[in-house]
Amino acid sequence: MELIIGPRLYSTWSLRPWLVLKRCQVDFAVREIDIYSPVGQAELEQVSPSRLVPLLKVEGETIWDSMAISVWCAERFPEARLWPADPHARWLARSAACEMHGGFMALRTECGMGPDHTMVGPDRSPPPSGAAVTRDIRRIVALWREMRGRFGAGGPWLFGEWSVADAFFTPAATRFRHYQIDLAAHGDEDGTAATYRDALLSQPDLLEWSAEALAAR
């Protein structure tokens, strides 16, 4: 089983299924392709039907797209409990992950990822000021607060126990840190969203990814 990813410093799409596979506690190889170089683009064209990352090569097949890989993991490794057991929580966890997967374009555009975003360090960018990105942040804060309030009693994660939704929102947490976004100013009156953000940022698998990104810098 081989996961093909883009540079750890930049590729949030690669981070998500990597976190999911780590949660499954299975052995898998990682091939990192510099998708921003001509050589990397040529290599990517040979292995990726979509010419995008991430990809999972397993049992003679190539599974592309971070959500598709995560769904495959949930099917193949049910013991990892990658979706909540409660059906209502599971429906909403899938909705939340898919909203993150396909939405929040203003946040992605105005708060782009860079070499220091997944790492703890002194370099930070000023907060964004656009109306569209403000709406995105307020929506994420509201979603986090609602899901934590309804389903978070069983642990620190969005639905209590860790799920695919947490993998998909981890890059949002790194953006909030890097751009010094005050979640209280976006509707987080009691700090519920900030506490969840901090849980994502301190998760050991993310810290491992960050250390590997820093070592390759």
Side-chain angles (χ1 to χ4, degrees):
M1 186 160 49
E2 180 183 45
L3 182 67
I4 300 174
I5 64 173
R8 286 177 172 86
L9 292 173
Y10 299 95
S11 184
T12 62
W13 296 111
S14 299
L15 170 61
R16 293 177 172 103
W18 185 89
L19 290 171
V20 173
L21 279 164
K22 292 287 287 186
R23 179 61 55 158
C24 294
Q25 297 184 340
V26 295
D27 292 329
F28 63 98
V30 176
R31 188 196 324 179
E32 184 172 324
I33 296 178
D34 181 4
I35 59 176
Y36 303 106
S37 72
V39 172
Q41 281 290 316
E43 182 180 358
L44 188 62
E45 190 170 356
Q46 295 299 313
V47 299
S48 173
S50 65
R51 298 189 67 182
L52 300 171
V53 289
L55 309 156
L56 182 67
K57 290 191 171 292
V58 60
E59 297 181 9
E61 300 291 353
T62 298
I63 304 170
W64 68 96
D65 185 86
S66 56
M67 182 60 78
I69 295 169
S70 299
V71 169
W72 178 88
C73 288
E75 292 177 351
R76 179 55 63 90
F77 305 107
E79 67 278 7
R81 301 195 305 272
L82 295 176
W83 295 111
D86 175 81
H88 292 261
R90 187 165 62 250
W91 302 337
L92 297 186
R94 289 170 176 167
S95 295
C98 287
E99 184 177 0
M100 183 70 250
H101 184 54
F104 304 113
M105 296 309 298
L107 179 66
R108 300 180 197 277
T109 301
E110 295 195 36
C111 300
M113 299 302 290
D116 52 350
H117 293 199
T118 59
M119 294 166 272
V120 176
D123 296 332
R124 294 289 180 261
S125 295
S129 58
V133 73
T134 296
R135 286 194 297 271
D136 279 359
I137 296 167
R138 293 190 71 88
R139 168 57 186 154
I140 292 174
V141 167
L143 188 157
W144 286 2
R145 287 172 56 80
E146 180 185 0
M147 297 305 111
R148 286 292 301 151
R150 291 186 60 186
F151 304 107
W157 309 113
L158 197 58
F159 293 86
E161 294 187 2
W162 195 93
S163 73
V164 170
D166 299 298
F168 274 72
F169 279 109
T170 295
T174 67
R175 283 178 162 96
F176 289 165
R177 176 178 61 191
H178 180 79
Y179 288 91
Q180 307 176 76
I181 293 171
D182 180 4
L183 299 187
H186 293 81
D188 187 32
E189 294 88 357
D190 62 359
T192 295
T195 299
Y196 172 60
R197 173 204 61 202
D198 293 344
L200 291 176
L201 293 174
S202 62
Q203 205 266 350
D205 291 333
L206 174 65
L207 298 180
E208 179 183 337
W209 172 281
S210 299
E212 291 175 357
L214 182 61
R217 189 174 183 177

